[in-house]
C-alpha cells in the first residue's frame, strides 16, 4: 500500500514542463517521478502494472500525472504510450528512459539461458531504443521544437559485477545510444544525457545490504544511498536549458566498492 504523500518543495516559477518516466511504479522511476511532480512538472507514469503506477501517483502531494500501462519492449505498447502522452499533454519535454531489469542473479555466464539474455536485452536496450525513437520524433516535430532524453545507465556501464553479462552488455550499449542521440539531436534542440547509478536504496538493491558477490569471490554487505539523491540529480539534469547538457553523471554510495572494484 502507498505510504503518506511525499512532502514537496515550492513550485518552480516556470512554465509547466511535461515528462515521461518509464518504470515509474517502483524504485528509481518512482522516486524521479515524485521529485518531478513535487517541483511543478506534469508527469506521465509508464510501467507494466497500472496498480503500482497509481501507487506512485497517490504519493504525490501535487502535480498532474497520467498512468499508462506499457511494456517498453513491445513496439505497439510504446506507440500507444506516446500517443496517450501527446493526446493528454500535447507535447513532451523530458523522457527519463528508466525501465530495466537485471535478469537472473547469480547465474554463471555459461549457464545463462538464451531466453533470459533476450529478456534483459529486450527490456534494457530495445525498450530504451523504442522509447527514445518515439520521443525523438515527438520532440523534433513539436513547436517549440526540442526536448531532453535522460537514459538510466549504470556503473556497470563502466565496471561489471560477477555474473552480470546481460545487464552489463546492455548498459554498455546504452552508453553508445546516449552518445548517438546526443549527436543526432543537435540540429533539433534535442539533448541527451545519461545517469549512471550505483547502489541506490530500492527493492532491487536490498540484497546488497546483506551481502553481494565481489570479484574476489567474497560475499560482503555494501552501503547504499537514499534514492531521493538520485532523483534530485535527474531533476537537475532535466531542468537545465537545452543549450546545456550533463552528458554523463555518476551518482553512487560514497563508500561502495566501485572505484577500485575488482
Amino acid at each position: 500500500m502507498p505510504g503518506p504523500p511525499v512532502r514537496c518543495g515550492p513550485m518552480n516559477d516556470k512554465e509547466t514542463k511535461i515528462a515521461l518516466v518509464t518504470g515509474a511504479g517502483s524504485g528509481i522511476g518512482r522516486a524521479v517521478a515524485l521529485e518531478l511532480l513535487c517541483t511543478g512538472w506534469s508527469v506521465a507514469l509508464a510501467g507494466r502494472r497500472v496498480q503500482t503506477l497509481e501507487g506512485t501517483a497517490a504519493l504525490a502531494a501535487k502535480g498532474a500525472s497520467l498512468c499508462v500501462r506499457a511494456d517498453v519492449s513491445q513496439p505497439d505498447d510504446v506507440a500507444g504510450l506516446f500517443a496517450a502522452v501527446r493526446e493528454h499533454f500535447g507535447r513532451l519535454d523530458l523522457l527519463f528512459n528508466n525501465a530495466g531489469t537485471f535478469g537472473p542473479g547469480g547465474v554463471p555466464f555459461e549457464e545463462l539461458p538464451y531466453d533470459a539474455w533476450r529478456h534483459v536485452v529486450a527490456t534494457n536496450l530495445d525498450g530504451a531504443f523504442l522509447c527514445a525513437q518515439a520521443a525523438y520524433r515527438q520532440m523534433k516535430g513539436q513547436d517549440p521544437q526540442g526536448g531532453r532524453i535522460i537514459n538510466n545507465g549504470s556503473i556497470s556501464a563502466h565496471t561489471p559485477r560477477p555474473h552480470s553479462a546481460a545487464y552489463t552488455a546492455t548498459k554498455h550499449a546504452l552508453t553508445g545510444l546516449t552518445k548517438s542521440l546526443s549527436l543526432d539531436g543537435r540540429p533539433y534542440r534535442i539533448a541527451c544525457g545519461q545517469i549512471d547509478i550505483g547502489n541506490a536504496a530500492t527493492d532491487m538493491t536490498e540484497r546488497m545490504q546483506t551481502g553481494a558477490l565481489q570479484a574476489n569471490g567474497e560475499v560482503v554487505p555494501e552501503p547504499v544511498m537514499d534514492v531521493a539523491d538520485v532523483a534530485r540529480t535527474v531533476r537537475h539534469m532535466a531542468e537545465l536549458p537545452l543549450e546545456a547538457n550533463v552528458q554523463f553523471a555518476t551518482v553512487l554510495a560514497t563508500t561502495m566498492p566501485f572505484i577500485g572494484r575488482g
Side-chain angles (χ1 to χ4, degrees), residues 178-228:
T178 297
K179 291 179 178 180
S180 290
L181 287 171
S182 186
L183 177 60
D184 292 345
R186 286 179 183 176
Y188 311 108
R189 301 186 74 246
I190 299 173
C192 184
Q194 179 172 315
I195 183 166
D196 296 325
I197 302 164
N199 286 18
T202 66
D203 291 343
M204 183 181 290
T205 60
E206 187 175 0
R207 60 183 175 80
M208 294 178 183
Q209 298 178 68
T210 57
L213 180 64
Q214 306 298 306
N216 63 1
E218 295 181 3
V219 176
V220 298
E222 293 189 11
V224 297
M225 62 179 167
D226 192 333
V227 71

Coordinates of all heavy atoms in Angstrom, one line a residue, residues 178-228:
T178 N 23.2 6.7 -26.0 CA 23.2 8.1 -25.5 C 24.1 9.0 -26.3 O 23.7 10.1 -26.7 CB 23.7 8.1 -24.0 OG1 22.9 7.3 -23.2 CG2 23.8 9.5 -23.5
K179 N 25.3 8.5 -26.7 CA 26.2 9.4 -27.5 C 25.6 9.7 -28.9 O 25.7 10.8 -29.4 CB 27.5 8.7 -27.6 CG 28.3 8.6 -26.3 CD 29.7 7.9 -26.5 CE 30.5 7.9 -25.2 NZ 31.8 7.2 -25.4
S180 N 25.0 8.6 -29.5 CA 24.4 8.8 -30.8 C 23.3 9.8 -30.8 O 23.1 10.7 -31.7 CB 24.0 7.5 -31.4 OG 25.1 6.7 -31.7
L181 N 22.4 9.6 -29.8 CA 21.2 10.5 -29.7 C 21.7 12.0 -29.4 O 21.1 12.9 -29.9 CB 20.3 10.1 -28.5 CG 19.5 8.8 -28.8 CD1 18.8 8.4 -27.5 CD2 18.5 9.1 -29.9
S182 N 22.7 12.1 -28.6 CA 23.2 13.4 -28.3 C 23.8 14.1 -29.5 O 23.5 15.3 -29.8 CB 24.4 13.3 -27.2 OG 24.8 14.6 -26.8
L183 N 24.4 13.4 -30.4 CA 24.9 13.9 -31.7 C 23.8 14.2 -32.7 O 23.7 15.3 -33.2 CB 25.9 12.9 -32.3 CG 26.6 13.3 -33.6 CD1 27.3 14.7 -33.5 CD2 27.5 12.2 -34.1
D184 N 22.9 13.2 -32.9 CA 21.9 13.3 -33.9 C 20.8 14.3 -33.5 O 20.1 14.9 -34.4 CB 21.2 12.0 -34.2 CG 22.2 11.0 -34.8 OD1 23.2 11.4 -35.3 OD2 21.9 9.7 -34.8
G185 N 20.7 14.6 -32.2 CA 19.7 15.5 -31.8 C 20.1 17.0 -31.9 O 19.2 17.9 -31.7
R186 N 21.3 17.3 -32.1 CA 21.8 18.7 -32.1 C 21.0 19.6 -33.0 O 20.7 20.7 -32.6 CB 23.3 18.7 -32.5 CG 24.2 18.2 -31.4 CD 25.7 18.3 -31.9 NE 26.6 17.7 -30.9 CZ 27.9 17.6 -31.1 NH1 28.4 17.9 -32.3 NH2 28.7 17.1 -30.2
P187 N 20.7 19.2 -34.3 CA 20.0 20.2 -35.2 C 18.6 20.5 -34.7 O 18.0 21.5 -35.2 CB 20.0 19.4 -36.5 CG 21.0 18.4 -36.4 CD 21.1 18.0 -35.0
Y188 N 18.0 19.7 -33.8 CA 16.6 19.8 -33.4 C 16.4 20.2 -32.0 O 15.3 20.0 -31.4 CB 15.9 18.5 -33.7 CG 16.2 17.9 -35.1 CD1 17.0 16.8 -35.3 CD2 15.7 18.6 -36.2 CE1 17.3 16.4 -36.6 CE2 16.0 18.1 -37.5 CZ 16.8 17.0 -37.7 OH 17.1 16.6 -38.9
R189 N 17.5 20.6 -31.3 CA 17.4 21.0 -29.9 C 17.0 19.9 -29.0 O 16.2 20.1 -28.0 CB 16.5 22.3 -29.7 CG 16.9 23.5 -30.4 CD 16.1 24.7 -30.1 NE 16.5 25.3 -28.8 CZ 15.7 25.3 -27.7 NH1 14.5 24.8 -27.8 NH2 16.1 25.8 -26.6
I190 N 17.5 18.7 -29.4 CA 17.2 17.5 -28.5 C 18.5 17.2 -27.8 O 19.5 16.8 -28.5 CB 16.7 16.3 -29.4 CG1 15.4 16.7 -30.1 CG2 16.5 15.1 -28.5 CD1 14.9 15.6 -31.0
A191 N 18.5 17.3 -26.5 CA 19.7 17.0 -25.7 C 19.5 15.6 -25.1 O 18.4 15.2 -24.8 CB 19.8 18.0 -24.6
C192 N 20.6 14.9 -25.0 CA 20.6 13.5 -24.4 C 21.7 13.3 -23.5 O 22.9 13.6 -23.8 CB 20.6 12.4 -25.5 SG 20.4 10.8 -24.8
G193 N 21.4 12.9 -22.3 CA 22.5 12.6 -21.3 C 22.2 11.2 -20.6 O 21.2 10.6 -20.9
Q194 N 23.1 10.8 -19.8 CA 23.0 9.5 -19.1 C 23.4 9.7 -17.6 O 24.3 10.3 -17.3 CB 23.9 8.5 -19.8 CG 23.9 7.1 -19.2 CD 24.6 6.1 -20.0 OE1 24.4 6.1 -21.3 NE2 25.5 5.3 -19.4
I195 N 22.6 9.0 -16.8 CA 23.0 9.0 -15.4 C 23.3 7.5 -15.0 O 22.6 6.6 -15.3 CB 21.9 9.5 -14.4 CG1 22.3 9.5 -13.0 CG2 20.5 8.8 -14.7 CD1 21.4 10.3 -12.1
D196 N 24.5 7.3 -14.5 CA 25.0 6.0 -14.0 C 24.9 6.0 -12.5 O 25.5 6.7 -11.8 CB 26.4 5.8 -14.5 CG 26.5 5.8 -16.0 OD1 25.6 5.3 -16.7 OD2 27.5 6.3 -16.6
I197 N 24.1 5.0 -12.0 CA 23.7 5.0 -10.6 C 24.3 3.7 -10.0 O 24.3 2.6 -10.5 CB 22.2 4.9 -10.5 CG1 21.6 6.2 -11.2 CG2 21.8 4.9 -9.0 CD1 20.1 6.1 -11.5
G198 N 24.8 3.9 -8.8 CA 25.4 2.8 -8.0 C 24.8 2.7 -6.6 O 25.0 3.6 -5.8
N199 N 24.1 1.6 -6.3 CA 23.6 1.3 -5.0 C 22.6 2.3 -4.4 O 22.8 2.8 -3.3 CB 24.8 1.0 -4.0 CG 25.5 -0.3 -4.3 OD1 25.3 -0.9 -5.4 ND2 26.2 -0.7 -3.3
A200 N 21.7 2.7 -5.2 CA 20.5 3.5 -4.6 C 19.6 2.5 -3.9 O 19.4 1.4 -4.3 CB 19.8 4.2 -5.7
A201 N 19.1 2.9 -2.7 CA 18.3 2.1 -1.9 C 16.9 1.8 -2.5 O 16.0 2.7 -2.4 CB 18.2 2.6 -0.5
T202 N 16.8 0.7 -3.2 CA 15.5 0.3 -3.7 C 15.3 -1.2 -3.5 O 16.2 -1.9 -2.9 CB 15.5 0.5 -5.3 OG1 16.4 -0.3 -5.9 CG2 15.8 2.0 -5.6
D203 N 14.2 -1.7 -3.9 CA 13.9 -3.2 -3.7 C 15.0 -4.0 -4.5 O 15.4 -5.0 -4.0 CB 12.6 -3.5 -4.3 CG 11.4 -3.0 -3.4 OD1 11.7 -2.6 -2.3 OD2 10.3 -2.9 -3.9
M204 N 15.5 -3.5 -5.6 CA 16.5 -4.2 -6.4 C 17.8 -4.3 -5.7 O 18.5 -5.3 -5.8 CB 16.7 -3.5 -7.7 CG 17.6 -4.2 -8.7 SD 17.9 -3.4 -10.3 CE 16.3 -3.7 -11.0
T205 N 18.1 -3.3 -4.8 CA 19.5 -3.3 -4.2 C 19.4 -3.8 -2.7 O 20.4 -3.8 -2.0 CB 20.1 -1.9 -4.2 OG1 19.2 -1.0 -3.6 CG2 20.3 -1.5 -5.7
E206 N 18.2 -4.2 -2.3 CA 18.0 -4.5 -0.9 C 19.0 -5.7 -0.5 O 19.6 -5.6 0.6 CB 16.6 -4.9 -0.6 CG 16.3 -5.2 0.9 CD 14.8 -5.5 1.1 OE1 14.0 -5.5 0.1 OE2 14.4 -5.7 2.3
R207 N 19.2 -6.6 -1.4 CA 20.1 -7.7 -1.1 C 21.5 -7.3 -0.8 O 22.3 -8.0 -0.2 CB 20.0 -8.8 -2.2 CG 20.4 -8.2 -3.5 CD 20.3 -9.3 -4.7 NE 20.6 -8.7 -5.9 CZ 21.9 -8.5 -6.4 NH1 22.9 -8.9 -5.6 NH2 22.1 -8.0 -7.6
M208 N 21.9 -6.2 -1.4 CA 23.3 -5.8 -1.3 C 23.7 -5.4 0.1 O 24.8 -5.5 0.5 CB 23.6 -4.6 -2.2 CG 23.5 -4.9 -3.7 SD 23.7 -3.5 -4.7 CE 23.5 -4.2 -6.3
Q209 N 22.7 -5.0 0.9 CA 23.0 -4.6 2.3 C 23.2 -5.9 3.2 O 23.8 -5.7 4.3 CB 21.8 -3.8 2.9 CG 21.6 -2.5 2.1 CD 20.4 -1.7 2.6 OE1 20.4 -1.2 3.8 NE2 19.4 -1.6 1.8
T210 N 22.8 -7.0 2.7 CA 23.1 -8.3 3.5 C 24.3 -9.0 2.9 O 24.9 -9.8 3.6 CB 21.8 -9.2 3.5 OG1 21.5 -9.5 2.1 CG2 20.7 -8.5 4.1
G211 N 24.6 -8.8 1.6 CA 25.8 -9.4 1.0 C 25.7 -9.5 -0.5 O 24.7 -10.0 -1.0
A212 N 26.7 -9.0 -1.1 CA 26.8 -9.1 -2.6 C 28.1 -9.7 -3.0 O 29.2 -9.5 -2.4 CB 26.7 -7.7 -3.2
L213 N 28.1 -10.5 -4.0 CA 29.3 -11.2 -4.5 C 30.3 -10.2 -5.1 O 29.9 -9.4 -5.9 CB 28.9 -12.2 -5.6 CG 30.0 -13.1 -6.2 CD1 30.7 -13.9 -5.2 CD2 29.5 -13.9 -7.4
Q214 N 31.5 -10.3 -4.7 CA 32.6 -9.4 -5.1 C 33.5 -10.2 -6.1 O 33.4 -11.4 -6.3 CB 33.4 -9.0 -3.9 CG 32.6 -8.3 -2.8 CD 31.9 -7.1 -3.3 OE1 32.5 -6.1 -3.8 NE2 30.6 -7.0 -3.0
A215 N 34.3 -9.4 -6.8 CA 35.2 -10.0 -7.8 C 36.1 -11.1 -7.3 O 36.5 -12.0 -8.0 CB 35.9 -8.9 -8.6
N216 N 36.5 -10.9 -6.0 CA 37.4 -11.9 -5.4 C 36.7 -13.1 -4.9 O 37.4 -14.0 -4.2 CB 38.3 -11.2 -4.3 CG 37.4 -10.8 -3.2 OD1 36.2 -10.9 -3.1 ND2 38.1 -10.1 -2.2
G217 N 35.4 -13.2 -5.1 CA 34.7 -14.4 -4.6 C 34.0 -14.2 -3.3 O 33.2 -15.1 -2.9
E218 N 34.4 -13.2 -2.5 CA 33.8 -13.0 -1.2 C 32.3 -12.4 -1.4 O 32.0 -11.8 -2.4 CB 34.6 -12.0 -0.4 CG 36.0 -12.5 0.0 CD 36.7 -11.5 0.8 OE1 36.2 -10.4 1.1 OE2 37.9 -11.8 1.2
V219 N 31.5 -12.6 -0.4 CA 30.2 -12.0 -0.3 C 30.2 -11.1 0.9 O 30.4 -11.5 2.0 CB 29.1 -13.1 -0.2 CG1 27.7 -12.4 0.0 CG2 29.1 -14.0 -1.3
V220 N 30.0 -9.8 0.6 CA 30.1 -8.8 1.7 C 29.0 -7.8 1.5 O 28.5 -7.5 0.4 CB 31.5 -8.0 1.7 CG1 32.6 -9.0 1.9 CG2 31.7 -7.3 0.3
P221 N 28.5 -7.2 2.6 CA 27.5 -6.2 2.6 C 28.1 -4.9 1.9 O 29.2 -4.7 2.0 CB 27.1 -5.9 4.0 CG 27.7 -7.1 4.8 CD 28.8 -7.6 4.0
E222 N 27.2 -4.2 1.2 CA 27.6 -3.0 0.5 C 26.7 -1.8 1.0 O 25.5 -2.0 1.2 CB 27.5 -3.1 -1.0 CG 28.5 -4.1 -1.6 CD 28.5 -4.0 -3.2 OE1 27.9 -3.0 -3.7 OE2 29.1 -4.9 -3.8
P223 N 27.3 -0.6 1.1 CA 26.5 0.5 1.5 C 25.6 1.0 0.4 O 25.9 0.7 -0.8 CB 27.6 1.6 1.8 CG 28.8 1.2 1.1 CD 28.7 -0.3 1.0
V224 N 24.5 1.6 0.7 CA 23.6 2.2 -0.3 C 23.3 3.7 0.1 O 23.7 4.1 1.2 CB 22.2 1.4 -0.3 CG1 22.5 0.0 -0.7 CG2 21.5 1.5 1.1
M225 N 22.8 4.4 -0.9 CA 22.4 5.8 -0.7 C 20.9 5.9 -0.8 O 20.2 5.1 -1.4 CB 23.2 6.7 -1.7 CG 22.8 6.4 -3.1 SD 23.6 7.4 -4.3 CE 23.2 6.5 -5.8
D226 N 20.4 7.1 -0.4 CA 19.0 7.4 -0.5 C 18.7 7.6 -2.0 O 19.3 8.4 -2.6 CB 18.7 8.7 0.3 CG 17.2 8.9 0.5 OD1 16.4 8.5 -0.4 OD2 16.9 9.6 1.5
V227 N 17.6 6.9 -2.4 CA 17.2 7.1 -3.8 C 16.8 8.5 -4.1 O 16.8 8.9 -5.3 CB 16.1 6.1 -4.1 CG1 14.8 6.4 -3.5 CG2 15.9 5.9 -5.7
A228 N 16.4 9.3 -3.1 CA 16.0 10.7 -3.3 C 17.1 11.5 -3.9 O 16.9 12.5 -4.6 CB 15.4 11.3 -2.1

